Amino acid sequence: QRMKALASQSLSGSVTDTERAYINAEFTALDAEILGIETTTTFNGDALIDGTFNENFFVGLGAAGVVNNITADLTTVNVAAVGGDVSTSGTAATAFTNVTARINTIAT
């Protein structure tokens, strides 16, 4: 949400180039933090939130010896860094669109 607000601020015509540089510095720092979270969030050595995790877990035997599994399919969850910057109005517009799409994906 903060990255979306920063992209919106940079997109507005009311900020100076100096202010936009500060906005961009915060935006890129948050983006780097997201990348760090994505790469270090693991379960048994497998990445959880990079869109690749899909495992079945044995939870016991049911009636008549039927195997009960729980499937943890996180292949639709990808919190990868947005990339890019908000150093210009044009790049801010692209970043705003990308951040909004990423928020919607994660919310879903």
Side-chain angles (χ1 to χ4, degrees):
Q1 291 294 337
R2 178 66 181 152
M3 290 175 75
K4 186 175 178 179
L6 291 169
S8 179
Q9 287 175 358
S10 183
L11 185 56
S12 86
S14 64
V15 295
T16 66
D17 288 343
T18 301
E19 292 168 326
R20 190 171 277 126
Y22 291 124
I23 292 168
N24 187 55
E26 184 179 350
F27 183 90
T28 56
L30 289 170
D31 203 37
E33 184 64 23
I34 290 171
L35 180 60
I37 291 168
E38 176 199 8
T39 57
T40 59
T41 303
T42 61
F43 176 77
N44 279 345
D46 294 324
L48 282 179
I49 55 176
D50 69 349
T52 62
F53 190 82
N54 186 4
E55 295 289 332
N56 290 314
F57 296 96
F58 173 75
V59 293
L61 293 175
V66 175
V67 173
N68 289 323
N69 287 324
I70 294 175
T71 300
D73 183 358
L74 302 180
T75 55
T76 61
V77 178
N78 187 343
V79 296
V82 173
D85 60 62
V86 293
S87 61
T88 68
S89 183
T91 58
T94 300
F96 184 85
T97 301
N98 292 342
V99 168
T100 301
R102 195 63 51 107
I103 289 170
N104 291 338
T105 297
I106 292 169
T108 301

